[in-house]
Amino acid sequence: MGSLLKRALSHLGGMAILFVQTLLCTATPPYEFRAWSAQMHYLGVKSLSITNITALFTGMVLALQTSYSLAAYGAKYFVADVVSLALVRELGPVLTALMVGGRVGAGITAEIGSMKVTDQLDAMRALAANPVKKLVVPKVVATVVMLPLLTILADFIGILGGMAMAVFQLNQTSGFYLQHVIAAVQIQDVLSGLGKAVFFGLFISLIACYNGLNARGGADGVGRATTSTVVAASITILISDFFLTKLFMSF
């Protein structure tokens, strides 16, 4: 247990140091906007398909399940309220983060880890280039910026999926469904979900970059680092979601 605690604290300390270095490099010119935009396209735009499909079918399943449960109490007309609030507050940011964490986190770790085990990072330092500024900052900025945008689109797609089920399965009109959505969702609900997405993006990118920078042992070490990133990012998202919910509910 002592060895496990020591290793956990070492990882937390290393990620805290990497976070501080990332902040300093982000605030220090020159700003490589071209690298940032390229990472936003790769990490964000190319994740649209997986996040939208997940949100669509989550909204559809959620509408079906809640309609059967609420029908027992004569309240099936509140399906729109349940679906919209569940997606905007919790399922939208969490599921989007999990999908992006699995795809993006593994890719970041594999990319940086491969450069680490082949000594490309040492070559960058020998050429007076900072690996944190060149590699870490664009990925962190892109993930933090794009994950809230992906969450907004996922919320919208999920609500549309719920509306499809409400119209074709529950015989509700689309206008009735949307009226309930507008009445149920408040601005603080949207801001709460987007705030979570910002933190989730930061956690995913930091964990992925840290594991990539500390990969060892050739291709086998890169594989272990990639697996560790997916597991650690998923657990961090689920645990932090509880504390972030408590934090946002206190305002």
Side-chain angles (χ1 to χ4, degrees):
M1 290 296 293
S3 176
L4 182 63
L5 179 61
K6 182 179 179 181
R7 190 163 61 250
L9 292 176
S10 175
H11 284 302
L12 289 176
M15 279 188 282
I17 294 172
L18 180 61
F19 174 64
V20 173
Q21 292 176 342
T22 303
L23 285 180
L24 294 175
C25 291
T26 304
T28 303
Y31 307 108
E32 301 185 9
F33 295 111
R34 181 173 296 180
W36 294 5
S37 61
Q39 289 297 321
M40 287 179 188
H41 179 266
Y42 174 72
L43 302 180
V45 176
K46 290 192 174 182
S47 299
L48 279 172
S49 58
I50 186 172
T51 57
N52 288 343
I53 291 173
T54 302
L56 175 65
F57 284 95
T58 298
M60 294 170 67
V61 170
L62 192 59
L64 284 177
Q65 293 285 5
T66 54
S67 65
Y68 290 120
S69 301
L70 294 176
Y73 304 96
K76 68 177 182 179
Y77 297 107
F78 293 97
V79 167
D81 304 63
V82 176
V83 171
S84 59
L85 288 176
L87 284 170
V88 171
R89 288 181 179 177
E90 290 295 329
L91 294 180
V94 170
L95 291 178
T96 301
L98 289 174
M99 295 298 102
V100 172
R103 177 189 175 275
V104 169
I108 291 174
T109 302
E111 177 186 346
I112 299 179
S114 299
M115 297 178 70
K116 172 66 185 305
V117 299
T118 55
D119 297 327
Q120 294 183 50
L121 297 184
D122 293 333
M124 291 179 65
R125 295 188 182 96
L127 295 173
N130 188 347
V132 174
K133 189 171 185 63
K134 293 290 185 181
L135 299 176
V136 176
V137 171
K139 293 173 173 54
V140 172
V141 171
T143 311
V144 170
V145 171
M146 294 304 297
L147 194 58
L149 300 179
L150 291 173
T151 299
I152 292 175
L153 190 56
D155 292 341
F156 179 73
I157 297 295
I159 291 173
L160 288 183
M163 184 178 70
M165 291 297 99
V167 171
F168 295 110
Q169 293 289 327
L170 307 178
N171 297 320
Q172 296 182 8
T173 64
S174 58
F176 178 83
Y177 181 92
L178 292 176
Q179 285 178 356
H180 274 261
V181 171
I182 295 172
V185 178
Q186 304 296 321
I187 186 64
Q188 56 265 29
D189 300 321
V190 178
L191 293 179
S192 172
L194 295 182
K196 290 180 181 180
V198 171
F199 282 100
F200 293 158
L202 179 63
F203 297 151
I204 291 170
S205 54
L206 282 180
I207 291 172
C209 291
Y210 176 81
N211 286 336
L213 291 171
N214 291 274
R216 294 181 178 85
D220 183 57
V222 174
R224 288 195 303 269
T226 303
T227 303
S228 176
T229 293
V230 176
V231 174
S234 301
I235 293 175
T236 302
I237 289 168
L238 295 176
I239 293 176
S240 63
D241 178 56
F242 170 77
F243 294 101
L244 291 172
T245 301
K246 294 283 289 183
L247 174 64
F248 291 126
M249 287 179 64
S250 63
F251 292 109

